[in-house]
Amino acid sequence: MLQSLTSNSCVRLIQSNKSTWYFLFLVLGYVLYLIFGAVVFSSVELPYEDLLRQELRTIKRQFLQENKCISEERLEEFLAKALEASNYGVSVLNNASANWNWDFTSALFFASTVLSTTGYGHTAPLSDGGKAFCIVYSVIGIPFTLLFLTAVVQRIMVFSTRRPVVYVHTRWGLSKPLVAAAHASLLAVVTVTGFFLLPAAVFSALEENWNFLESFYFCFISLSTIGLGDYVPGEGYNQRFRELYKVGITIYLLLGLIAVLVVLETFCELQQLKQLRKMFYLKKEKPQDRLTFLEHDHLSFTSVSDQAASFHENKTEPYVDVPVLSSPAGGDLLIR
């Protein structure tokens, strides 16, 4: 009996806090996914890093042997200075001296990566004034960009998602969740083709050292706003029409980001995903529900008070009625 009561109470506790348990499983799953990614990246990339380190040591040792007039300390100083400049986008190589990082088109490209929070990192402000302005510019510009993108996506969603779904639903009488899911899948395919596959083919043709995989990798890293900065277009030696190319890339990144946000918002409006998200959310206590709860408590308290009062009244009365003797006129005694 005691075990049955304990198990029932545990079941009721779990059911009453179902969203909390779902949330804990979600946190656990996310942590495990992070660990899984770390294990895979480490196992895949660590051998390549070790190979590159050995290759650099070999090249450095060979250079010092061939140039005995240069000490290892002087070489280390020069390499440290060159790497520091490279982190700011300035290269000491002869074939890179023709490209400027802060002409107007390059600065426009940099501003777009800052406001979209992509941040490739290949170019960074050199001066203290530039760093200070970048902070102020970002504090104002990033919320402004979020407002701009939200307004644009909301207007596009009306024509790209909501009206087509309603039209197909009313025209052919199909299930609205089914139509919305099919439409979201079709929109995702069109977006991947138009903003990932085709641009990747273009970049692989325009960039000398990029293959299709590297170009597709750049498109995905850019439009997902990850922005690792290991691949940046328009930085090659003697890039033809470099200014126009940079402006075109800026426009592509802005339009691609809008398209990705439209697809994500379309999937977020699916009924199946809404139900999935509700599993992990805390239930909001509505004012009407709170009022009903208080009224229920008031009624319960009133009923308990009434029952207690009636019990008290019954307690003052005798438990056994005593019969009363009466006699009608000229008759025998009767019990009443």
Side-chain angles (χ1 to χ4, degrees), residues 84-262:
E84 182 182 359
S86 178
N87 291 332
Y88 288 98
V90 178
S91 177
V92 297
L93 301 177
N94 292 329
N95 58 5
S97 59
N99 297 333
W100 291 87
N101 294 321
W102 293 105
D103 55 358
F104 177 76
T105 54
S106 298
L108 179 65
F109 179 71
F110 173 78
S112 68
T113 60
V114 169
L115 296 185
S116 62
T117 68
T118 303
Y120 291 112
H122 71 294
T123 302
L126 301 174
S127 62
D128 293 338
K131 295 173 183 177
F133 176 75
C134 184
I135 295 174
V136 177
Y137 185 72
S138 302
V139 168
I140 300 175
I142 291 176
F144 188 25
T145 304
L146 293 177
L147 176 63
F148 166 73
L149 293 176
T150 302
V152 171
V153 170
Q154 189 272 338
R155 291 176 177 271
I156 294 177
M157 285 285 293
V158 175
F159 300 97
S160 66
T161 299
R162 298 191 179 102
R163 288 186 179 179
V165 170
V166 172
Y167 175 79
V168 174
H169 170 63
T170 55
R171 179 69 175 81
W172 284 284
L174 299 176
S175 173
K176 193 172 183 179
L178 179 62
V179 174
H183 174 268
S185 302
L186 179 61
L187 188 63
V189 171
V190 172
T191 302
V192 169
T193 303
F195 290 93
F196 289 89
L197 297 177
L198 292 180
V202 173
F203 282 127
S204 62
L206 295 179
E207 298 291 332
E208 295 181 359
N209 300 322
W210 291 16
N211 55 32
F212 182 81
L213 177 61
E214 293 169 335
S215 301
F216 185 85
Y217 169 81
F218 163 76
C219 295
F220 177 79
I221 293 298
S222 300
L223 298 186
S224 59
T225 68
I226 298 174
L228 296 178
D230 48 350
Y231 289 93
V232 180
E235 300 297 325
Y237 173 63
N238 288 334
Q239 178 73 48
R240 297 180 59 186
F241 308 106
R242 185 172 183 269
E243 291 78 10
L244 184 61
Y245 188 35
K246 285 285 187 179
V247 174
I249 295 170
T250 303
I251 296 174
Y252 158 73
L253 293 177
L254 183 60
L255 294 179
L257 182 59
I258 292 174
V260 170
L261 291 176
V262 169

Side-chain angles (χ1 to χ4, degrees), residues 315-330:
K315 189 176 181 181
T316 57
E317 296 180 355
Y319 289 101
V320 180
D321 293 336
V322 179
V324 180
L325 297 178
S326 64
S327 61

Side-chain angles (χ1 to χ4, degrees), residues 64-76:
L64 290 174
Q65 290 176 356
E66 294 176 355
N67 301 272
K68 297 184 180 298
C69 59
I70 301 177
S71 64
E72 185 175 0
E73 290 76 13
R74 293 294 302 274
L75 180 62
E76 291 280 350

